[in-house]
mmCIF file with all atom_site columns, all heavy atoms in Angstrom:
data_model
loop_
_atom_site.group_PDB
_atom_site.id
_atom_site.type_symbol
_atom_site.label_atom_id
_atom_site.label_alt_id
_atom_site.label_comp_id
_atom_site.label_asym_id
_atom_site.label_entity_id
_atom_site.label_seq_id
_atom_site.pdbx_PDB_ins_code
_atom_site.Cartn_x
_atom_site.Cartn_y
_atom_site.Cartn_z
_atom_site.occupancy
_atom_site.B_iso_or_equiv
_atom_site.pdbx_formal_charge
_atom_site.auth_seq_id
_atom_site.auth_comp_id
_atom_site.auth_asym_id
_atom_site.auth_atom_id
_atom_site.pdbx_PDB_model_num
ATOM 1   N N   . ILE A 1 9  ? 15.085 -3.149 27.151 1.00 98.00 ? 28  ILE A N   1
ATOM 2   C CA  . ILE A 1 9  ? 15.829 -1.891 27.190 1.00 98.00 ? 28  ILE A CA  1
ATOM 3   C C   . ILE A 1 9  ? 16.372 -1.636 25.795 1.00 98.00 ? 28  ILE A C   1
ATOM 4   O O   . ILE A 1 9  ? 17.119 -2.444 25.241 1.00 98.00 ? 28  ILE A O   1
ATOM 5   C CB  . ILE A 1 9  ? 16.979 -1.950 28.214 1.00 98.00 ? 28  ILE A CB  1
ATOM 6   C CG1 . ILE A 1 9  ? 16.426 -2.131 29.629 1.00 98.00 ? 28  ILE A CG1 1
ATOM 7   C CG2 . ILE A 1 9  ? 17.844 -0.689 28.126 1.00 98.00 ? 28  ILE A CG2 1
ATOM 8   C CD1 . ILE A 1 9  ? 17.501 -2.393 30.676 1.00 98.00 ? 28  ILE A CD1 1
ATOM 9   N N   . MET A 1 10 ? 15.989 -0.498 25.228 1.00 98.00 ? 29  MET A N   1
ATOM 10  C CA  . MET A 1 10 ? 16.454 -0.130 23.892 1.00 98.00 ? 29  MET A CA  1
ATOM 11  C C   . MET A 1 10 ? 17.251 1.172  23.973 1.00 98.00 ? 29  MET A C   1
ATOM 12  O O   . MET A 1 10 ? 16.736 2.206  24.387 1.00 98.00 ? 29  MET A O   1
ATOM 13  C CB  . MET A 1 10 ? 15.270 0.061  22.933 1.00 98.00 ? 29  MET A CB  1
ATOM 14  C CG  . MET A 1 10 ? 15.705 0.481  21.530 1.00 98.00 ? 29  MET A CG  1
ATOM 15  S SD  . MET A 1 10 ? 14.309 1.050  20.512 1.00 98.00 ? 29  MET A SD  1
ATOM 16  C CE  . MET A 1 10 ? 13.383 -0.470 20.339 1.00 98.00 ? 29  MET A CE  1
ATOM 17  N N   . ALA A 1 11 ? 18.515 1.102  23.593 1.00 97.00 ? 30  ALA A N   1
ATOM 18  C CA  . ALA A 1 11 ? 19.338 2.307  23.473 1.00 97.00 ? 30  ALA A CA  1
ATOM 19  C C   . ALA A 1 11 ? 19.247 2.808  22.041 1.00 97.00 ? 30  ALA A C   1
ATOM 20  O O   . ALA A 1 11 ? 19.307 2.018  21.087 1.00 97.00 ? 30  ALA A O   1
ATOM 21  C CB  . ALA A 1 11 ? 20.784 1.999  23.839 1.00 97.00 ? 30  ALA A CB  1
ATOM 22  N N   . THR A 1 12 ? 19.117 4.112  21.873 1.00 96.00 ? 31  THR A N   1
ATOM 23  C CA  . THR A 1 12 ? 18.981 4.663  20.524 1.00 96.00 ? 31  THR A CA  1
ATOM 24  C C   . THR A 1 12 ? 19.601 6.053  20.474 1.00 96.00 ? 31  THR A C   1
ATOM 25  O O   . THR A 1 12 ? 19.784 6.708  21.498 1.00 96.00 ? 31  THR A O   1
ATOM 26  C CB  . THR A 1 12 ? 17.495 4.712  20.099 1.00 96.00 ? 31  THR A CB  1
ATOM 27  O OG1 . THR A 1 12 ? 17.414 5.138  18.729 1.00 96.00 ? 31  THR A OG1 1
ATOM 28  C CG2 . THR A 1 12 ? 16.694 5.669  20.976 1.00 96.00 ? 31  THR A CG2 1
ATOM 29  N N   . ARG A 1 13 ? 19.907 6.473  19.250 1.00 95.00 ? 32  ARG A N   1
ATOM 30  C CA  . ARG A 1 13 ? 20.468 7.811  19.047 1.00 95.00 ? 32  ARG A CA  1
ATOM 31  C C   . ARG A 1 13 ? 20.216 8.254  17.614 1.00 95.00 ? 32  ARG A C   1
ATOM 32  O O   . ARG A 1 13 ? 20.687 7.597  16.662 1.00 95.00 ? 32  ARG A O   1
ATOM 33  C CB  . ARG A 1 13 ? 21.968 7.826  19.356 1.00 95.00 ? 32  ARG A CB  1
ATOM 34  C CG  . ARG A 1 13 ? 22.643 9.175  19.061 1.00 95.00 ? 32  ARG A CG  1
ATOM 35  C CD  . ARG A 1 13 ? 24.101 9.189  19.521 1.00 95.00 ? 32  ARG A CD  1
ATOM 36  N NE  . ARG A 1 13 ? 24.790 10.376 19.047 1.00 95.00 ? 32  ARG A NE  1
ATOM 37  C CZ  . ARG A 1 13 ? 24.698 11.581 19.604 1.00 95.00 ? 32  ARG A CZ  1
ATOM 38  N NH1 . ARG A 1 13 ? 23.923 11.741 20.669 1.00 95.00 ? 32  ARG A NH1 1
ATOM 39  N NH2 . ARG A 1 13 ? 25.359 12.611 19.125 1.00 95.00 ? 32  ARG A NH2 1
ATOM 40  N N   . VAL A 1 37 ? 11.843 0.278  28.243 1.00 98.00 ? 56  VAL A N   1
ATOM 41  C CA  . VAL A 1 37 ? 12.548 1.516  28.546 1.00 98.00 ? 56  VAL A CA  1
ATOM 42  C C   . VAL A 1 37 ? 13.373 1.911  27.331 1.00 98.00 ? 56  VAL A C   1
ATOM 43  O O   . VAL A 1 37 ? 14.182 1.116  26.832 1.00 98.00 ? 56  VAL A O   1
ATOM 44  C CB  . VAL A 1 37 ? 13.454 1.370  29.784 1.00 98.00 ? 56  VAL A CB  1
ATOM 45  C CG1 . VAL A 1 37 ? 14.325 2.606  29.962 1.00 98.00 ? 56  VAL A CG1 1
ATOM 46  C CG2 . VAL A 1 37 ? 12.609 1.143  31.034 1.00 98.00 ? 56  VAL A CG2 1
ATOM 47  N N   . ILE A 1 38 ? 13.148 3.123  26.844 1.00 98.00 ? 57  ILE A N   1
ATOM 48  C CA  . ILE A 1 38 ? 13.907 3.660  25.715 1.00 98.00 ? 57  ILE A CA  1
ATOM 49  C C   . ILE A 1 38 ? 14.872 4.700  26.264 1.00 98.00 ? 57  ILE A C   1
ATOM 50  O O   . ILE A 1 38 ? 14.444 5.703  26.850 1.00 98.00 ? 57  ILE A O   1
ATOM 51  C CB  . ILE A 1 38 ? 12.964 4.281  24.662 1.00 98.00 ? 57  ILE A CB  1
ATOM 52  C CG1 . ILE A 1 38 ? 12.038 3.207  24.097 1.00 98.00 ? 57  ILE A CG1 1
ATOM 53  C CG2 . ILE A 1 38 ? 13.769 4.946  23.551 1.00 98.00 ? 57  ILE A CG2 1
ATOM 54  C CD1 . ILE A 1 38 ? 10.979 3.737  23.160 1.00 98.00 ? 57  ILE A CD1 1
ATOM 55  N N   . VAL A 1 39 ? 16.161 4.436  26.077 1.00 98.00 ? 58  VAL A N   1
ATOM 56  C CA  . VAL A 1 39 ? 17.204 5.351  26.545 1.00 98.00 ? 58  VAL A CA  1
ATOM 57  C C   . VAL A 1 39 ? 17.789 6.030  25.310 1.00 98.00 ? 58  VAL A C   1
ATOM 58  O O   . VAL A 1 39 ? 18.497 5.408  24.525 1.00 98.00 ? 58  VAL A O   1
ATOM 59  C CB  . VAL A 1 39 ? 18.293 4.619  27.344 1.00 98.00 ? 58  VAL A CB  1
ATOM 60  C CG1 . VAL A 1 39 ? 19.282 5.621  27.925 1.00 98.00 ? 58  VAL A CG1 1
ATOM 61  C CG2 . VAL A 1 39 ? 17.671 3.776  28.455 1.00 98.00 ? 58  VAL A CG2 1
ATOM 62  N N   . ASP A 1 40 ? 17.485 7.299  25.165 1.00 98.00 ? 59  ASP A N   1
ATOM 63  C CA  . ASP A 1 40 ? 17.757 8.038  23.937 1.00 98.00 ? 59  ASP A CA  1
ATOM 64  C C   . ASP A 1 40 ? 18.843 9.088  24.186 1.00 98.00 ? 59  ASP A C   1
ATOM 65  O O   . ASP A 1 40 ? 18.770 9.857  25.144 1.00 98.00 ? 59  ASP A O   1
ATOM 66  C CB  . ASP A 1 40 ? 16.459 8.716  23.487 1.00 98.00 ? 59  ASP A CB  1
ATOM 67  C CG  . ASP A 1 40 ? 16.632 9.576  22.252 1.00 98.00 ? 59  ASP A CG  1
ATOM 68  O OD1 . ASP A 1 40 ? 17.542 9.301  21.459 1.00 98.00 ? 59  ASP A OD1 1
ATOM 69  O OD2 . ASP A 1 40 ? 15.827 10.525 22.084 1.00 98.00 ? 59  ASP A OD2 1
ATOM 70  N N   . SER A 1 41 ? 19.830 9.117  23.310 1.00 97.00 ? 60  SER A N   1
ATOM 71  C CA  . SER A 1 41 ? 20.866 10.160 23.410 1.00 97.00 ? 60  SER A CA  1
ATOM 72  C C   . SER A 1 41 ? 20.853 11.062 22.176 1.00 97.00 ? 60  SER A C   1
ATOM 73  O O   . SER A 1 41 ? 21.870 11.677 21.845 1.00 97.00 ? 60  SER A O   1
ATOM 74  C CB  . SER A 1 41 ? 22.250 9.525  23.586 1.00 97.00 ? 60  SER A CB  1
ATOM 75  O OG  . SER A 1 41 ? 22.621 8.786  22.437 1.00 97.00 ? 60  SER A OG  1
ATOM 76  N N   . SER A 1 42 ? 19.699 11.158 21.515 1.00 97.00 ? 61  SER A N   1
ATOM 77  C CA  . SER A 1 42 ? 19.608 11.942 20.282 1.00 97.00 ? 61  SER A CA  1
ATOM 78  C C   . SER A 1 42 ? 19.913 13.413 20.530 1.00 97.00 ? 61  SER A C   1
ATOM 79  O O   . SER A 1 42 ? 19.630 13.956 21.600 1.00 97.00 ? 61  SER A O   1
ATOM 80  C CB  . SER A 1 42 ? 18.207 11.828 19.687 1.00 97.00 ? 61  SER A CB  1
ATOM 81  O OG  . SER A 1 42 ? 17.928 10.507 19.302 1.00 97.00 ? 61  SER A OG  1
ATOM 82  N N   . ARG A 1 64 ? 8.584  3.637  28.995 1.00 98.00 ? 83  ARG A N   1
ATOM 83  C CA  . ARG A 1 64 ? 9.217  4.798  29.622 1.00 98.00 ? 83  ARG A CA  1
ATOM 84  C C   . ARG A 1 64 ? 10.319 5.333  28.716 1.00 98.00 ? 83  ARG A C   1
ATOM 85  O O   . ARG A 1 64 ? 11.065 4.566  28.095 1.00 98.00 ? 83  ARG A O   1
ATOM 86  C CB  . ARG A 1 64 ? 9.799  4.429  30.988 1.00 98.00 ? 83  ARG A CB  1
ATOM 87  C CG  . ARG A 1 64 ? 8.736  4.184  32.037 1.00 98.00 ? 83  ARG A CG  1
ATOM 88  C CD  . ARG A 1 64 ? 9.336  4.339  33.420 1.00 98.00 ? 83  ARG A CD  1
ATOM 89  N NE  . ARG A 1 64 ? 10.089 3.159  33.823 1.00 98.00 ? 83  ARG A NE  1
ATOM 90  C CZ  . ARG A 1 64 ? 10.929 3.133  34.866 1.00 98.00 ? 83  ARG A CZ  1
ATOM 91  N NH1 . ARG A 1 64 ? 11.149 4.246  35.549 1.00 98.00 ? 83  ARG A NH1 1
ATOM 92  N NH2 . ARG A 1 64 ? 11.543 2.024  35.189 1.00 98.00 ? 83  ARG A NH2 1
ATOM 93  N N   . TYR A 1 65 ? 10.432 6.642  28.681 1.00 98.00 ? 84  TYR A N   1
ATOM 94  C CA  . TYR A 1 65 ? 11.447 7.318  27.875 1.00 98.00 ? 84  TYR A CA  1
ATOM 95  C C   . TYR A 1 65 ? 12.363 8.101  28.804 1.00 98.00 ? 84  TYR A C   1
ATOM 96  O O   . TYR A 1 65 ? 11.902 8.745  29.761 1.00 98.00 ? 84  TYR A O   1
ATOM 97  C CB  . TYR A 1 65 ? 10.786 8.279  26.880 1.00 98.00 ? 84  TYR A CB  1
ATOM 98  C CG  . TYR A 1 65 ? 11.779 9.176  26.160 1.00 98.00 ? 84  TYR A CG  1
ATOM 99  C CD1 . TYR A 1 65 ? 12.320 8.796  24.943 1.00 98.00 ? 84  TYR A CD1 1
ATOM 100 C CD2 . TYR A 1 65 ? 12.195 10.392 26.716 1.00 98.00 ? 84  TYR A CD2 1
ATOM 101 C CE1 . TYR A 1 65 ? 13.245 9.593  24.286 1.00 98.00 ? 84  TYR A CE1 1
ATOM 102 C CE2 . TYR A 1 65 ? 13.115 11.193 26.069 1.00 98.00 ? 84  TYR A CE2 1
ATOM 103 C CZ  . TYR A 1 65 ? 13.640 10.801 24.845 1.00 98.00 ? 84  TYR A CZ  1
ATOM 104 O OH  . TYR A 1 65 ? 14.563 11.588 24.209 1.00 98.00 ? 84  TYR A OH  1
ATOM 105 N N   . THR A 1 66 ? 13.661 8.037  28.524 1.00 98.00 ? 85  THR A N   1
ATOM 106 C CA  . THR A 1 66 ? 14.599 8.903  29.234 1.00 98.00 ? 85  THR A CA  1
ATOM 107 C C   . THR A 1 66 ? 15.673 9.347  28.261 1.00 98.00 ? 85  THR A C   1
ATOM 108 O O   . THR A 1 66 ? 16.042 8.605  27.337 1.00 98.00 ? 85  THR A O   1
ATOM 109 C CB  . THR A 1 66 ? 15.225 8.200  30.454 1.00 98.00 ? 85  THR A CB  1
ATOM 110 O OG1 . THR A 1 66 ? 15.971 9.137  31.216 1.00 98.00 ? 85  THR A OG1 1
ATOM 111 C CG2 . THR A 1 66 ? 16.152 7.065  30.028 1.00 98.00 ? 85  THR A CG2 1
ATOM 112 N N   . HIS A 1 67 ? 16.151 10.561 28.450 1.00 98.00 ? 86  HIS A N   1
ATOM 113 C CA  . HIS A 1 67 ? 17.242 11.076 27.630 1.00 98.00 ? 86  HIS A CA  1
ATOM 114 C C   . HIS A 1 67 ? 18.511 11.027 28.450 1.00 98.00 ? 86  HIS A C   1
ATOM 115 O O   . HIS A 1 67 ? 18.514 11.364 29.641 1.00 98.00 ? 86  HIS A O   1
ATOM 116 C CB  . HIS A 1 67 ? 16.962 12.516 27.190 1.00 98.00 ? 86  HIS A CB  1
ATOM 117 C CG  . HIS A 1 67 ? 17.888 13.005 26.122 1.00 98.00 ? 86  HIS A CG  1
ATOM 118 N ND1 . HIS A 1 67 ? 19.023 13.734 26.396 1.00 98.00 ? 86  HIS A ND1 1
ATOM 119 C CD2 . HIS A 1 67 ? 17.860 12.846 24.773 1.00 98.00 ? 86  HIS A CD2 1
ATOM 120 C CE1 . HIS A 1 67 ? 19.641 14.006 25.265 1.00 98.00 ? 86  HIS A CE1 1
ATOM 121 N NE2 . HIS A 1 67 ? 18.966 13.481 24.265 1.00 98.00 ? 86  HIS A NE2 1
ATOM 122 N N   . SER A 1 68 ? 19.593 10.576 27.842 1.00 97.00 ? 87  SER A N   1
ATOM 123 C CA  . SER A 1 68 ? 20.861 10.429 28.560 1.00 97.00 ? 87  SER A CA  1
ATOM 124 C C   . SER A 1 68 ? 22.002 10.923 27.693 1.00 97.00 ? 87  SER A C   1
ATOM 125 O O   . SER A 1 68 ? 21.824 11.238 26.513 1.00 97.00 ? 87  SER A O   1
ATOM 126 C CB  . SER A 1 68 ? 21.103 8.962  28.931 1.00 97.00 ? 87  SER A CB  1
ATOM 127 O OG  . SER A 1 68 ? 21.635 8.246  27.830 1.00 97.00 ? 87  SER A OG  1
ATOM 128 N N   . GLY A 1 69 ? 23.180 10.950 28.293 1.00 95.00 ? 88  GLY A N   1
ATOM 129 C CA  . GLY A 1 69 ? 24.374 11.215 27.509 1.00 95.00 ? 88  GLY A CA  1
ATOM 130 C C   . GLY A 1 69 ? 24.628 10.063 26.547 1.00 95.00 ? 88  GLY A C   1
ATOM 131 O O   . GLY A 1 69 ? 24.107 8.959  26.719 1.00 95.00 ? 88  GLY A O   1
ATOM 132 N N   . HIS A 1 74 ? 26.885 3.172  28.312 1.00 96.00 ? 93  HIS A N   1
ATOM 133 C CA  . HIS A 1 74 ? 26.269 4.054  29.305 1.00 96.00 ? 93  HIS A CA  1
ATOM 134 C C   . HIS A 1 74 ? 24.750 3.976  29.229 1.00 96.00 ? 93  HIS A C   1
ATOM 135 O O   . HIS A 1 74 ? 24.067 3.863  30.264 1.00 96.00 ? 93  HIS A O   1
ATOM 136 C CB  . HIS A 1 74 ? 26.742 5.485  29.091 1.00 96.00 ? 93  HIS A CB  1
ATOM 137 C CG  . HIS A 1 74 ? 26.051 6.482  29.969 1.00 96.00 ? 93  HIS A CG  1
ATOM 138 N ND1 . HIS A 1 74 ? 26.223 6.511  31.342 1.00 96.00 ? 93  HIS A ND1 1
ATOM 139 C CD2 . HIS A 1 74 ? 25.150 7.476  29.679 1.00 96.00 ? 93  HIS A CD2 1
ATOM 140 C CE1 . HIS A 1 74 ? 25.477 7.483  31.854 1.00 96.00 ? 93  HIS A CE1 1
ATOM 141 N NE2 . HIS A 1 74 ? 24.822 8.070  30.874 1.00 96.00 ? 93  HIS A NE2 1
ATOM 142 N N   . GLN A 1 75 ? 24.204 4.041  28.031 1.00 97.00 ? 94  GLN A N   1
ATOM 143 C CA  . GLN A 1 75 ? 22.759 4.035  27.872 1.00 97.00 ? 94  GLN A CA  1
ATOM 144 C C   . GLN A 1 75 ? 22.146 2.728  28.367 1.00 97.00 ? 94  GLN A C   1
ATOM 145 O O   . GLN A 1 75 ? 21.084 2.718  28.999 1.00 97.00 ? 94  GLN A O   1
ATOM 146 C CB  . GLN A 1 75 ? 22.383 4.297  26.412 1.00 97.00 ? 94  GLN A CB  1
ATOM 147 C CG  . GLN A 1 75 ? 22.644 5.734  25.977 1.00 97.00 ? 94  GLN A CG  1
ATOM 148 C CD  . GLN A 1 75 ? 22.419 5.952  24.495 1.00 97.00 ? 94  GLN A CD  1
ATOM 149 O OE1 . GLN A 1 75 ? 23.341 6.224  23.748 1.00 97.00 ? 94  GLN A OE1 1
ATOM 150 N NE2 . GLN A 1 75 ? 21.177 5.808  24.041 1.00 97.00 ? 94  GLN A NE2 1
ATOM 151 N N   . ARG A 1 76 ? 22.798 1.615  28.091 1.00 97.00 ? 95  ARG A N   1
ATOM 152 C CA  . ARG A 1 76 ? 22.280 0.340  28.578 1.00 97.00 ? 95  ARG A CA  1
ATOM 153 C C   . ARG A 1 76 ? 22.336 0.272  30.105 1.00 97.00 ? 95  ARG A C   1
ATOM 154 O O   . ARG A 1 76 ? 21.428 -0.286 30.739 1.00 97.00 ? 95  ARG A O   1
ATOM 155 C CB  . ARG A 1 76 ? 23.036 -0.813 27.921 1.00 97.00 ? 95  ARG A CB  1
ATOM 156 C CG  . ARG A 1 76 ? 22.612 -1.007 26.464 1.00 97.00 ? 95  ARG A CG  1
ATOM 157 C CD  . ARG A 1 76 ? 23.382 -2.093 25.776 1.00 97.00 ? 95  ARG A CD  1
ATOM 158 N NE  . ARG A 1 76 ? 22.757 -2.404 24.490 1.00 97.00 ? 95  ARG A NE  1
ATOM 159 C CZ  . ARG A 1 76 ? 23.368 -2.989 23.473 1.00 97.00 ? 95  ARG A CZ  1
ATOM 160 N NH1 . ARG A 1 76 ? 24.638 -3.339 23.590 1.00 97.00 ? 95  ARG A NH1 1
ATOM 161 N NH2 . ARG A 1 76 ? 22.730 -3.246 22.342 1.00 97.00 ? 95  ARG A NH2 1
ATOM 162 N N   . VAL A 1 78 ? 22.061 2.848  32.094 1.00 98.00 ? 97  VAL A N   1
ATOM 163 C CA  . VAL A 1 78 ? 20.949 3.699  32.553 1.00 98.00 ? 97  VAL A CA  1
ATOM 164 C C   . VAL A 1 78 ? 19.657 2.888  32.565 1.00 98.00 ? 97  VAL A C   1
ATOM 165 O O   . VAL A 1 78 ? 18.878 2.914  33.531 1.00 98.00 ? 97  VAL A O   1
ATOM 166 C CB  . VAL A 1 78 ? 20.806 4.949  31.656 1.00 98.00 ? 97  VAL A CB  1
ATOM 167 C CG1 . VAL A 1 78 ? 19.499 5.679  31.955 1.00 98.00 ? 97  VAL A CG1 1
ATOM 168 C CG2 . VAL A 1 78 ? 21.992 5.893  31.869 1.00 98.00 ? 97  VAL A CG2 1
ATOM 169 N N   . GLY A 1 79 ? 19.423 2.129  31.495 1.00 98.00 ? 98  GLY A N   1
ATOM 170 C CA  . GLY A 1 79 ? 18.223 1.302  31.419 1.00 98.00 ? 98  GLY A CA  1
ATOM 171 C C   . GLY A 1 79 ? 18.183 0.236  32.504 1.00 98.00 ? 98  GLY A C   1
ATOM 172 O O   . GLY A 1 79 ? 17.125 -0.027 33.089 1.00 98.00 ? 98  GLY A O   1
ATOM 173 N N   . LEU A 1 80 ? 19.320 -0.384 32.779 1.00 97.00 ? 99  LEU A N   1
ATOM 174 C CA  . LEU A 1 80 ? 19.365 -1.387 33.844 1.00 97.00 ? 99  LEU A CA  1
ATOM 175 C C   . LEU A 1 80 ? 18.971 -0.778 35.187 1.00 97.00 ? 99  LEU A C   1
ATOM 176 O O   . LEU A 1 80 ? 18.289 -1.414 35.995 1.00 97.00 ? 99  LEU A O   1
ATOM 177 C CB  . LEU A 1 80 ? 20.769 -1.998 33.939 1.00 97.00 ? 99  LEU A CB  1
ATOM 178 C CG  . LEU A 1 80 ? 21.104 -3.114 32.952 1.00 97.00 ? 99  LEU A CG  1
ATOM 179 C CD1 . LEU A 1 80 ? 22.583 -3.455 33.031 1.00 97.00 ? 99  LEU A CD1 1
ATOM 180 C CD2 . LEU A 1 80 ? 20.261 -4.357 33.226 1.00 97.00 ? 99  LEU A CD2 1
ATOM 181 N N   . MET A 1 82 ? 16.887 1.481  35.694 1.00 97.00 ? 101 MET A N   1
ATOM 182 C CA  . MET A 1 82 ? 15.476 1.877  35.703 1.00 97.00 ? 101 MET A CA  1
ATOM 183 C C   . MET A 1 82 ? 14.524 0.689  35.739 1.00 97.00 ? 101 MET A C   1
ATOM 184 O O   . MET A 1 82 ? 13.305 0.870  35.827 1.00 97.00 ? 101 MET A O   1
ATOM 185 C CB  . MET A 1 82 ? 15.169 2.726  34.462 1.00 97.00 ? 101 MET A CB  1
ATOM 186 C CG  . MET A 1 82 ? 15.897 4.055  34.412 1.00 97.00 ? 101 MET A CG  1
ATOM 187 S SD  . MET A 1 82 ? 15.604 4.935  32.843 1.00 97.00 ? 101 MET A SD  1
ATOM 188 C CE  . MET A 1 82 ? 13.823 5.203  32.906 1.00 97.00 ? 101 MET A CE  1
#
Side-chain angles (χ1 to χ4, degrees):
I28 296 172
M29 179 192 294
T31 185
R32 176 174 171 80
V56 172
I57 298 174
V58 186
D59 177 26
S60 65
S61 296
R83 289 201 281 166
Y84 171 92
T85 188
H86 192 265
S87 81
H93 174 67
Q94 289 174 247
R95 285 177 169 158
V97 169
L99 278 171
M101 295 175 62

